[in-house]
Amino acid sequence: MSYSVEIKNLDLRFGNLKVLENLNLGINNGEFLVLLGSSGCGKSTLLNSIAGLLEISDGQIFINGQNVTWAEPSERGIGMVFQSYALFPNLTIEKNIAFGLENTGRSKSEINERVSELLDLIGLLDQGPKYPAQLSGGQQQRIALARAIASGPGLLLLDEPLSALDAKVRVYLRHEIKTLQQKLGV
């Protein structure tokens, strides 16, 4: 299921500091939107607000026509890849991907099947038993993407997913992310 996002008059303050002010934005189903701006301008803050990881000061956030302004992050149907990828260093790649699926009521065999399917999708089927530190930055980024889409979210938020990668890998993964987005319909 694909989502549309609408943000109305969003304000976010940290104490007296206004980080986002009277922000209005509409994102259509299937659209691939990139936010550009200087460091500290509020890009990550906006993504974290949409995901429900930050409480906004004023305004409303709608996902697929439903007001989710005060909904819990788990109720928003969003997958998110953070700047640092946020992989668990003490878990194998398979367990990193399975992490979000383990409390969904799926059986162990269903989870294992989904993890294998995702590892195959991102071209790392043979890397499952390894740990994040044993993989390149590009491979870690693909694992973070697999974990973010494991539960089948309708909306995928990527917070500077290519910033820590070299130029060659960035070009390749930019294409891979777009292809994946179209294939999954997020």
Side-chain angles (χ1 to χ4, degrees), residues 6-149:
E6 186 176 7
I7 298 168
K8 295 182 178 180
N9 306 314
L10 185 112
D11 288 342
L12 192 136
R13 292 182 286 283
F14 295 126
N16 291 330
L17 177 65
K18 286 185 181 180
V19 180
L20 300 173
E21 184 175 15
N22 197 31
L23 182 86
N24 291 283
L25 177 66
I27 306 168
N28 295 317
N29 287 336
E31 191 170 16
F32 194 95
L33 177 75
V34 177
L35 300 173
L36 299 174
S38 60
S39 181
C41 74
K43 301 178 302 291
S44 296
T45 299
L46 175 59
L47 293 179
N48 285 315
S49 297
I50 294 169
L53 302 175
L54 286 176
E55 190 174 305
I56 65 170
S57 305
D58 200 13
Q60 295 178 312
I61 300 171
F62 294 86
I63 298 178
N64 205 29
Q66 181 180 0
N67 188 336
V68 297
T69 306
W70 307 113
E72 292 295 318
S74 61
E75 299 168 355
R76 295 182 185 214
I78 293 175
M80 186 154 179
V81 176
F82 298 92
Q83 282 181 6
S84 65
Y85 311 141
L87 297 176
F88 300 109
N90 59 323
L91 299 180
T92 65
I93 299 313
E94 293 164 325
K95 292 197 181 293
N96 263 281
I97 295 171
F99 185 81
L101 297 172
E102 291 175 347
N103 293 321
T104 62
R106 296 181 190 203
S107 70
K108 188 155 181 64
S109 64
E110 286 175 306
I111 291 171
N112 290 340
E113 185 178 319
R114 179 69 174 152
V115 168
S116 291
E117 175 186 306
L118 289 166
L119 284 168
D120 188 39
L121 179 69
I122 61 170
L124 295 173
L125 191 56
D126 60 335
Q127 304 297 313
K130 292 185 177 181
Y131 289 86
Q134 296 174 291
L135 302 178
S136 70
Q139 290 171 321
Q140 289 180 27
Q141 195 261 1
R142 287 190 274 163
I143 296 302
L145 271 171
R147 185 177 60 189
I149 63 175

